Amino acid sequence: MGDGKKSYDAIVIGAGVIGAATALALARLGWRVLDVDRLPASGYGSTSGSCAIIRPYYSTVDGAAIAYESHFYWSDWASFLGAEDERGLARYVDCGCLVMKTEGNKHLKPIMAIMDQIGCPYEELSPEQVRERMPILTLDSFGPPKRPDQPGFGESNGQMLNGAVFFPKGGYVTDPQLSAHNLQRAAEAAGAVFRFNVAVEEILQEQGRVAGVKLSSGERVASPVVVNVAGPHSFKVNRLAGVEAGMKIKTRALRHEVAHVPSPKGYDFEHQGCVVSDSDTAAYLRPEHGNHILIGSEDPDCDPKEWVDPDDFDRNFTDQATILAMRAAQRVTGLPIPNVMKGVVELYDVTDDWIPIYDKSDLPGFYMAVGTSGNQFKNAPIAGEMMATLIATCEGGQDHDKKPVGFHLKHIDRRIDLGFYSRLREINQESSFSVLG
Ligand SMILES: Cc1cc2nc3c(=O)[nH]c(=O)nc-3n(C[C@H](O)[C@H](O)[C@H](O)COP(=O)(O)OP(=O)(O)OC[C@H]3O[C@@H](n4cnc5c(N)ncnc54)[C@H](O)[C@@H]3O)c2cc1C
């Protein structure tokens, strides 16, 4: 036992960006918190492979409101943390996000209506204005997205995109792993204890409620509250607690590749580019240091989904990253496709409707912030605060399943009903059913 204590007010399983944020928010309530991670440091799980894009456009009003709110947390990261980190602070590059108008996204009309509802600024750009802003982008349409071995791949379908929408309140965080470390340091400054290289192997229960955890070291640590923030391992931890069967919405691990390629010759994408989201080619881009472009997938129907065991999956590139680069090369003129691909192979923790679960469970004292579906990095600081509010209110006696807890988004002055994230919800048909949330 590193710190000599054997009991806590809450134990958080996982020290990724959302686990560390949850530990911070609970510690700020004055709770004695232990955060346990099986890996050697905070943010070493799926957080380390995150593209860390901050963007407000989501398919649901609540999803968009929280994502827009997150911009203000990252803009003022140092004040939010209120603590030093000897490794420095993660940096938010607020270069904005350009989203292409396509038939598939209904020319972004539903998204603009949501932005109007939540008061989030945006600017519609004509095709000429898109070319002016980023001359490397072509406006030809290639949709629907295809695989390179399908007929018509790389050929325009004869139509042109009719412009894009620019969202100025967005961008990306330069170092997602560091952002988790920043949260760890802030949580420690508020009194939380972190332990690494040790896994939770059992959820202890007494008289029908949580009593603590048993660790891989053999120790038993007592606590009346345990929070599952285990990322792609979330379903395994839910099974340890015996709560999965009581959930209508479930989680599983989805393997994803992200490609890092150089910017086209003569163009400084790192400083002149921004986040680009293009459902016509099913690729999204963001600037990466060294004048590189990071390319992720928008999960088109033509691609098989690689559901995997988070303890046993292939960390090598398949053809996925190359296909991504080839798709992006349709939109980005002169995009080099390296023979040897660089980038990231990581896992999303995906729910049935690609909207996370921030909730209690059927086991009193056992909570979860899971199923973050490749799109919740941005929301981590708010997710931590939502979880602390939810946990404190439920432990205070409120039945969240019957009377959902509310949460106030202070920067945009909007109330969220946390029932939106319930494990007992029906599948949300408004979702994009993709990483776009
Ligand atoms: C490739 C990729 C790109 C992404 N891009 C974006 C993006 O652009 N924008 C965005 O907003 N989001 C993005 N995301 C999503 C975002 O990164 C995640 O939602 C977020 O990082 C999840 O954080 P977490 O703390 O919940 O999980 P993780 O970072 O996975 O942390 C979970 C931790 O739990 C630990 N753990 C698991 N089981 C146990 C156990 N039994 N005992 C102890 N510890 C355990 C693990 O070791 C791990 O460190 C992306 C994700 C991926 C994978």
Side-chain angles (χ1 to χ4, degrees):
M1 191 78 205
D3 56 285
K5 287 185 201 154
K6 289 278 179 192
S7 93
Y8 291 87
D9 297 327
I11 295 173
V12 176
I13 305 174
V17 69
I18 298 176
T22 303
L24 168 63
L26 284 168
R28 281 183 175 163
L29 292 181
W31 290 35
R32 293 173 309 122
V33 180
L34 172 68
D35 192 325
V36 181
D37 201 296
R38 56 200 267 164
L39 293 174
S42 48
Y44 267 34
S46 71
T47 294
S48 65
S50 184
C51 298
I53 290 170
I54 313 299
R55 45 120 185 147
Y57 41 94
Y58 275 71
S59 324
T60 59
V61 179
D62 288 328
I66 293 175
Y68 177 33
E69 172 87 356
S70 80
H71 161 81
F72 299 96
Y73 282 72
W74 293 106
S75 299
D76 203 7
W77 191 230
S79 314
F80 168 70
L81 294 172
E84 301 283 317
D85 185 329
E86 72 287 357
R87 287 178 48 198
L89 297 191
R91 199 163 56 87
Y92 174 35
V93 182
D94 55 350
C95 53
C97 310
L98 187 73
V99 186
M100 310 310 286
K101 288 183 178 176
T102 66
E103 248 169 61
N105 64 27
K106 302 194 177 74
H107 306 282
L108 290 167
K109 286 200 178 86
I111 293 285
M112 287 188 279
I114 290 176
M115 295 299 113
D116 290 339
Q117 273 191 61
I118 63 170
C120 177
Y122 61 87
E123 188 188 341
E124 286 191 79
L125 302 182
S126 66
E128 295 68 39
Q129 287 170 316
V130 173
R131 282 192 207 98
E132 250 168 58
R133 188 179 275 271
M134 222 185 280
I136 55 169
L137 298 184
T138 118
L139 271 292
D140 291 292
S141 173
F142 301 91
K146 301 172 193 68
R147 296 180 67 77
D149 54 4
Q150 288 180 298
F153 181 88
E155 291 166 23
S156 165
N157 61 23
Q159 297 180 350
M160 302 294 284
L161 301 184
N162 70 343
V165 176
F166 183 69
F167 299 84
K169 307 283 192 207
Y172 63 96
V173 172
T174 51
D175 188 338
Q177 195 272 330
L178 180 60
S179 64
H181 192 262
N182 293 161
L183 289 161
Q184 177 196 337
R185 287 288 182 256
E188 286 167 339
V193 174
F194 282 70
R195 292 193 56 193
F196 295 103
N197 294 314
V198 66
V200 170
E201 289 188 340
E202 262 179 56
I203 309 295
L204 305 176
Q205 302 180 28
E206 268 167 29
Q207 292 164 351
R209 71 163 290 140
V210 159
V213 297
K214 181 164 174 249
L215 301 176
S216 49
S217 57
E219 298 156 66
R220 300 162 81 87
V221 187
S223 177
V225 168
V226 171
V227 195
N228 175 3
V229 201
H233 286 84
S234 68
F235 72 93
K236 295 203 172 191
V237 173
N238 278 338
R239 284 176 194 173
L240 288 182
V243 301
E244 197 194 36
M247 297 163 60
K248 267 197 187 162
I249 301 281
K250 296 194 172 45
T251 59
R252 42 189 179 152
L254 181 66
R255 185 183 174 282
H256 254 277
E257 297 178 17
V258 175
H260 290 196
V261 304
S263 175
K265 238 186 175 145
Y267 190 77
D268 183 359
F269 193 79
E270 186 178 357
H271 299 105
Q272 293 174 316
C274 66
V275 173
V276 177
S277 177
D278 177 24
S279 56
D280 186 62
T281 58
Y284 66 83
L285 326 172
R286 79 141 165 91
E288 175 67 345
H289 66 84
N291 198 21
H292 275 59
I293 303 181
L294 190 154
I295 309 168
S297 170
E298 293 194 350
D299 307 299
D301 292 340
C302 60
D303 286 350
K305 300 251 183 310
E306 291 184 62
W307 303 109
V308 296
D309 178 343
D311 291 312
D312 181 19
F313 69 99
D314 187 358
R315 287 212 171 253
N316 300 306
F317 284 120
T318 61
D319 58 359
Q320 211 192 102
T322 308
I323 291 175
L324 269 173
M326 289 170 77
R327 285 198 180 123
Q330 298 174 112
R331 180 69 53 229
V332 180
T333 312
L335 188 78
I337 301 176
N339 287 334
V340 180
M341 203 43 89
K342 286 193 181 145
V344 161
V345 179
E346 252 307 341
L347 302 180
Y348 295 169
D349 178 35
V350 176
T351 64
D352 302 326
D353 57 10
W354 293 73
I355 292 171
I357 304 170
Y358 298 132
D359 202 2
K360 68 196 272 280
S361 71
D362 290 355
L363 173 65
F366 188 81
Y367 296 84
M368 63 187 89
V370 303
T372 59
S373 304
N375 64 46
Q376 292 292 303
F377 172 87
K378 61 186 74 56
N379 294 337
I382 306 168
E385 291 181 346
M386 292 194 305
M387 287 307 295
T389 304
L390 177 83
I391 293 166
T393 311
C394 291
E395 292 302 307
Q398 185 166 321
D399 183 347
H400 175 60
D401 290 338
K402 296 206 173 97
K403 187 177 169 218
V405 176
F407 182 81
H408 182 238
L409 302 174
K410 54 181 176 275
H411 295 97
I412 66 168
D413 192 17
R414 196 182 169 93
R415 191 181 175 281
I416 291 283
D417 178 342
L418 295 186
F420 176 74
Y421 292 114
S422 170
R423 75 204 182 284
L424 302 178
R425 65 179 181 254
E426 297 301 328
I427 286 179
N428 190 328
Q429 298 297 345
E430 283 170 23
S431 170
S432 67
F433 292 92
S434 77
V435 70
L436 293 174

